[in-house]
Amino acid sequence: MATRVGVIGAGSVGSTLGRPLVASNRFAVKYGTRDPSSEKVATLLASQPGASADTIPATVDWAEVVILATPSWDPSKTREQVQSLAASLGEGIKGKLLIDVVNGLSGWPALALGWEGGRSSSELLQEALPDTAVYKAFNTVGVEQLGAPDGSLIGGQQLTMLFAGPAERRGEAEAVITGVGFAPKYVGPIRYARNLDAIAELWIHLSIPGAGDTPEDWGRNFHFQVIEKA
């Protein structure tokens, strides 16, 4: 039976993650948005036959796994935004597995991380949702590589995906990461979301001219890859 995945957010990141899951036929995908009847959502569903859309709480109630692909957090208001988002998911999020894709960056040109009390937004999300298994994944790549996990835009080698979260349900998270097309690489509990956020910040600064403090411009076709001895 297909695993039910609710993708919260129907923008470029959410739709890019949902596309291969729909195509695999091993996952059923529903997009959760504020306005599931919008023209934007209709266009998305037309491009992904088999996917559906509903309100955010209804999508969470239906899903077994929830992917959070909403806009970036404001580092100056992270705790408040996380708590508001957690409440908007409804009671149906309890007991579910949630994959957090969201990075918290300040405004242009700094695009800098902001951690409250030294903790990442994913850790705050886990605190706000104690009965949910929160993971961090898919945040260390650009949308181009997110849509080409086979490495075809770089060198043709399957791309690895670092992820963090509770060890007890890592297999469920790995199944979704594999379903999107990446080779999952587990780094440890949700505390390591801080490290993944830092990698994401570095990727963004190197890929966007003028971002951060570095003068380097690597373009967008690169990836931080895990390479292991065979």
Side-chain angles (χ1 to χ4, degrees), residues 17 99 101 136-142 145-146 149 158-164 173-174 176-178 180-187 196 223-226:
L17 289 170
I99 300 176
V101 187
K136 188 78 172 195
F138 301 123
N139 70 311
T140 57
V141 298
Q145 276 67 52
L146 204 59
Q158 184 186 28
L159 303 184
T160 55
M161 178 55 61
L162 302 174
F163 74 106
E174 287 176 343
V176 175
I177 294 169
T178 301
V180 174
F182 290 91
K185 295 296 181 181
Y186 181 67
V187 300
L196 301 189
H223 178 68
F224 295 121
Q225 179 82 345
V226 177

Side-chain angles (χ1 to χ4, degrees), residues 211-222:
D213 299 317
T214 180
E216 298 301 311
D217 177 10
W218 289 14
R220 296 185 63 84
N221 283 326
F222 70 94

Side-chain angles (χ1 to χ4, degrees), residues 98-191:
L98 184 149
I99 300 176
D100 176 22
V101 187
V102 185
N103 290 313
L105 298 172
S106 64
W108 177 264
L111 296 182
L113 286 172
W115 290 333
E116 183 172 323
R119 293 187 298 164
S120 69
S121 58
S122 297
E123 291 172 275
L124 296 178
L125 191 59
Q126 180 66 90
E127 181 182 284
L129 299 170
D131 299 315
T132 302
V134 175
Y135 290 80
K136 188 78 172 195
F138 301 123
N139 70 311
T140 57
V141 298
V143 71
E144 296 88 352
Q145 276 67 52
L146 204 59
D150 60 354
S152 57
L153 296 180
I154 303 176
Q157 178 182 356
Q158 184 186 28
L159 303 184
T160 55
M161 178 55 61
L162 302 174
F163 74 106
E168 295 78 11
R169 299 180 67 178
R170 62 179 280 189
E172 296 173 65
E174 287 176 343
V176 175
I177 294 169
T178 301
V180 174
F182 290 91
K185 295 296 181 181
Y186 181 67
V187 300
I190 198 63
R191 169 259 181 271

